[in-house]
Amino acid sequence: MHVPDGFIDAPTSVATGVVAAAAVAVSLRGARRELDERTAPLAGLVAAFIFAVQMLNFPVAAGTSGHLLGGALAAILVGPCTGVLCISVVLLMQGILFADGGLTALGVNITCMGIVTVVVAYALFRGLVKVLPRTRRSVTAASFVAALVSVPASALAFTALYAVGGTTDVSIGKVATAMVGVHLLIGIGEAAITALTVGAVVAVRPDLVHGARDLRRRLRLRVNGELVDAPASGPAAAPVAARSARKVWAAGLVASLVLAGFVSFYASASPDGLEKVAADNGIDKKAEEHAAADSPLADYGVKDITDARLSGGLAGVIGVGVTVVAGTGVFWAVRRRRTDDVSPASTTTSV
């Protein structure tokens, strides 16, 4: 789903760049409310995990593959505003370091893969958890449906942008049918990965999952023989599992490194959904060479390393490392800004 340079004309690319920049600016402010001292490190890890899993293309049809987009997963785990920032960090790292997704098309990619997937998935997820029983299974089921729908929604967003600013004369009806059809299949894989990941985190630390806030149980105290809710100023939530947040973070980082450094070697080599549709419909006729095509890590391989397994694995490990550092830095800065905003000095008034 990474749109290369040349698919969308310059005016439309600029317009979507403005939309993406505005969304990132709004998300930076919104993320201050979503992040705390526990979830800020988790957000950086989520970005790195999404980077790693996006390297794992899975077959969806004859000669076609798909990979995780990650908008639903990020929004449910760390919140919609933070989710937009996670996907933006991933796309920026991929575009600059790995020549994956055009640099002039960065706004298009953030809009389709970040904004649309997050908004659609999180809106649907919140609607489902409100009507379903307040259980872990409900959160997992809602995440499955939300992720499934978010992928064809992203495909429709690209089709709409192509209808406005496409660089080749093709039938938009055919493009829409092909894009939605193949991305419905990809959506099943997206939904499975999202549900499995959300379910795993909810099982050990539901208090770390933004979308599972309603599952947090108030601590109850026995007073004069009766159980009463603890005061709001006290420990308002009792985690179902007491596993350390550091252990969860470490486990997630190890999983990301293994996926990117080892499992990615066995990913499908078939073109992904957008690449296949573009080739079949002539959309790629005016595709341009990536500005970072000479990057030492272009195409997810380390330059001058001839062993394909070692080259790809090392590139994946480097990508996870860079993404987790960049993401964590961004989210700690956002968290620090929130702390500064609510510090006593900022709330005092002169008489």
Side-chain angles (χ1 to χ4, degrees):
M1 195 66 184
H2 293 74
V3 180
D5 295 320
F7 275 25
I8 305 294
D9 63 22
T12 307
S13 296
V14 171
T16 53
V18 172
V19 170
V24 169
V26 171
S27 297
L28 283 169
R29 294 184 61 86
R32 297 181 199 173
R33 299 187 299 271
E34 296 172 351
L35 295 171
D36 56 32
E37 64 278 359
R38 297 172 304 165
T39 56
L42 178 64
L45 175 62
V46 168
F49 182 78
I50 289 172
F51 173 90
V53 180
Q54 283 193 0
M55 293 182 67
L56 308 181
N57 281 46
F58 48 85
V60 295
T64 309
S65 69
H67 62 70
L68 181 81
L69 298 187
L73 178 61
I76 295 167
L77 287 179
V78 292
C81 292
T82 309
V84 170
L85 298 180
C86 282
I87 302 301
S88 299
V89 168
V90 172
L91 291 171
L92 187 61
M93 294 299 101
Q94 290 171 332
I96 293 175
L97 298 179
F98 297 91
D100 189 10
L103 296 182
T104 62
L106 183 60
V108 174
N109 285 319
I110 290 177
T111 299
C112 293
M113 296 179 63
I115 301 170
V116 172
T117 57
V118 166
V119 170
V120 171
Y122 197 72
L124 182 55
F125 174 82
R126 293 305 303 171
L128 289 172
V129 295
K130 286 182 178 180
V131 298
L132 294 172
R134 294 174 56 186
T135 65
R136 299 180 193 174
R137 290 183 178 180
S138 295
V139 171
T140 303
S143 67
F144 183 94
V145 176
L148 174 63
V149 175
S150 71
V151 178
S154 179
L156 280 175
F158 166 78
T159 304
L161 290 175
Y162 199 82
V164 174
T167 55
T168 57
D169 185 15
V170 298
S171 170
I172 298 302
K174 289 183 178 180
V175 173
T177 300
M179 284 292 289
V180 173
V182 71
H183 284 89
L184 274 172
L185 298 176
I186 294 173
I188 296 174
E190 175 104 10
I193 294 170
T194 301
L196 287 172
T197 305
V198 171
V201 180
V202 166
V204 295
R205 286 296 299 266
D207 58 308
L208 295 179
V209 179
H210 184 87
R213 290 172 301 173
D214 295 341
L215 294 183
R216 301 180 190 179
R217 299 184 300 187
R218 291 297 298 269
L219 180 65
R220 308 198 74 190
L221 305 176
R222 187 172 296 277
V223 178
N224 297 327
E226 296 183 2
L227 289 175
V228 297
D229 288 337
S233 58
V240 177
R243 183 168 299 183
S244 166
R246 289 185 178 181
K247 291 182 179 179
V248 173
W249 191 92
L253 180 60
V254 170
S256 300
L257 291 171
V258 170
L259 291 173
F262 177 72
V263 181
S264 62
F265 181 77
Y266 301 97
S268 172
S270 299
D272 65 21
L274 176 59
E275 292 172 336
K276 179 65 173 176
V277 172
D280 290 347
N281 293 273
I283 294 175
D284 60 354
K285 290 180 179 178
K286 293 189 177 182
E288 300 173 1
E289 185 179 13
H290 200 285
D294 294 330
S295 165
L297 299 173
D299 297 324
Y300 298 93
V302 178
K303 190 175 182 180
D304 297 330
I305 295 182
T306 57
D307 185 279
R309 185 191 297 271
L310 178 60
S311 177
L314 185 57
V317 168
I318 293 172
V320 168
V322 172
T323 304
V324 76
V325 170
T328 302
V330 169
F331 298 123
W332 269 118
V334 172
R335 167 62 184 161
R336 188 181 184 89
R337 182 67 180 273
R338 173 187 173 180
T339 303
D340 293 343
D341 289 344
V342 299
S343 63
S346 67
T347 57
T348 58
T349 57
S350 58
V351 179

